Amino acid sequence: PKADALLLSDYDKGVLDDAVCAAAIAAAGGKPVLADPKGPGWKKYAGATVLKPNWREAAEFLASVPQASPPAGSPDDSDAEQAAHRIRRTLGVQNVLVTRNARGASLACADGSSLSFPARAATVQDEAGAGDVVAAVTCLALAAGASVPVAAWLGNVAGGAKVAKFGTLTVSVYEILEALGESFPRSERKLLTRAPDGGDATVAAL
């Protein structure tokens, strides 16, 4: 009840089965729910606010759906947006955000509109963990009251900051702001203020 949003981070290990996902989405009671899918059986995410597969996962899912095959090869923005809408309509989720590594991300919105965001990283060191960062930051932005397009845009910015680093690492608020053109002295980046009680958005993660 104290959470402002719910993140279903599925690693296909058996915890997030159909019953758990359905119960979690119902318990959210209309609060934002972001699902980062893995494995087969995506119908368990029905009702989620945002589904966030990568392009490979999206293509594999569409290949399993009759008359919904994805385009062959590397998709352009239009291809990815159309594929995201097919997933959205097939599963009954509100919005679908497809991450595409060096090609950025594409969003299919509940109102039928589409958006694509270019990749933000100037250099790519390591893509491992970038999808987790996109999911976490997008969900946190939704928890703070951002619209889905703004949250997805910010998640894409954070993902670009992640791939510029080697290893499965977190991304700080300073790194996100620097990806947007801000600059900070090294001393300021090492200082953290105590968060005010009750003032920050919170995400429940499963």
Side-chain angles (χ1 to χ4, degrees), residues 118-136:
R120 302 281 309 199
T123 59
V124 176
Q125 295 289 337
D126 188 358
E127 294 177 350
D132 295 311
V133 168
V134 173

Side-chain angles (χ1 to χ4, degrees), residues 6-22 24-25 33-46 50-54 56-57 131-132 135-136 204-206:
L6 178 63
L7 172 59
L8 300 175
S9 184
D10 198 344
Y11 274 78
D12 196 25
K13 302 297 184 184
V15 174
L16 292 180
D17 60 13
D18 291 13
V20 169
C21 287
I25 293 170
V33 178
L34 187 146
D36 194 353
K38 287 288 186 297
W42 286 11
K43 287 189 179 296
K44 63 187 177 181
Y45 307 119
V50 179
L51 183 74
K52 191 221 69 63
N54 61 37
R56 178 185 58 78
E57 292 163 341
D132 295 311
L206 292 179

Side-chain angles (χ1 to χ4, degrees), residues 82-106:
Q82 291 178 33
H85 275 298
R86 288 198 292 271
I87 294 171
R88 183 180 63 79
R89 291 190 296 265
T90 299
L91 294 176
V93 296
Q94 297 175 41
N95 308 272
V96 174
L97 176 63
V98 179
T99 55
R100 299 160 53 204
N101 296 331
R103 292 179 177 268
S106 295

Side-chain angles (χ1 to χ4, degrees), residues 149-166:
V150 169
W153 166 79
L154 188 60
N156 184 61
V157 172
K162 159 60 200 75
V163 300
K165 303 196 295 184
F166 186 80

